[in-house]
Amino acid sequence: TCQRVRVREIEAKFRVGDVEALLLALKARGVELAPPVVQDDQAYALAGWRYGQSKIGVPFARLRTEAGRHVFTVKVPGDNELSCEEHETVVLDRGQMHAAVVAMGFTPTVRIVKTRRRGGWGEVSLCLDDVAGLGVFLELERLVPPEVPGLAAQAELADLVAALEVDAERVEETYDSL
């Protein structure tokens, strides 16, 4: 039999004050960013959930389109909003998936459009996001097994950013909450 290994996605997010200084600091550490892509995300919450309520243990959905490809994601926050169990799959028809998500009891909340550049830094994935209406953010992400505390993994990611010595303020919320 095949046993699926469960992992969690752990993120740390930072509002960037000086993008050029950040790009130079990353380049000095061998981090190259891919060309920018536009992501169009529709976020969903369970009917009855409202901003200001806890997200811990509550499933949230997202329907993302990037370069004509649609991806459906469900995240369930654990330690905090940026420490999640995640399930994700490609879908063929965004409109039909939207209708299915609504039929499952989710309500559309906010649409987020951003320009994203991806890179890798060892075992860490990173994204530099220019989010419409919010500004520029650096997002670091690791996949960890269930026994690794999410808060400890986030602290390690924050240490990496601190070592860059750039103007970057840690943010505890997801883009939809911001």
Side-chain angles (χ1 to χ4, degrees):
T1 63
C2 196
Q3 186 177 22
R4 184 176 173 159
V5 177
R6 291 180 49 130
V7 295
R8 292 175 300 132
E9 175 189 84
I10 307 299
E11 298 177 5
K13 189 183 312 274
F14 302 83
R15 186 180 303 270
V16 177
D18 186 342
V19 175
E20 291 306 315
L22 173 64
L23 291 172
L24 288 171
L26 290 171
K27 187 171 185 164
R29 286 158 179 81
V31 177
E32 294 291 330
L33 297 178
V37 296
V38 174
Q39 293 181 335
D40 179 354
D41 295 352
Q42 176 62 61
Y44 302 85
L46 286 173
W49 183 89
R50 300 286 178 259
Y51 284 103
Q53 294 178 327
S54 175
K55 288 186 171 184
I56 305 303
V58 179
F60 293 89
R62 176 185 69 213
L63 188 53
R64 169 175 288 164
T65 299
E66 178 183 321
R69 181 175 183 249
H70 313 295
V71 178
F72 175 67
T73 306
V74 172
K75 294 184 178 189
V76 182
D79 297 320
N80 57 40
E81 285 187 42
L82 300 176
S83 175
C84 299
E85 181 181 327
E86 180 175 309
H87 307 278
E88 188 168 85
T89 191
V90 173
V91 296
L92 295 178
D93 186 315
R94 182 177 174 126
Q96 285 297 307
M97 191 68 222
H98 169 81
V101 173
V102 170
M104 288 185 278
F106 285 84
T107 302
T109 55
V110 65
R111 192 101 179 230
I112 301 158
V113 177
K114 63 183 170 290
T115 302
R116 171 169 277 183
R117 295 182 66 192
R118 294 180 179 93
W121 190 2
E123 294 181 1
V124 175
S125 298
L126 60 88
C127 299
L128 185 61
D129 294 336
D130 188 348
V131 183
L134 291 179
V136 178
F137 297 83
L138 176 65
E139 188 175 282
L140 282 74
E141 174 183 306
R142 285 185 50 206
L143 298 177
V144 300
E147 64 273 9
V148 173
L151 296 176
Q154 287 174 326
E156 290 174 8
L157 295 173
D159 288 345
L160 285 175
V161 173
L164 293 173
E165 298 180 343
V166 296
D167 181 10
E169 175 189 355
R170 186 155 175 198
V171 177
E172 300 287 339
E173 298 87 15
T174 57
Y175 294 136
D176 66 313
S177 292
L178 291 170

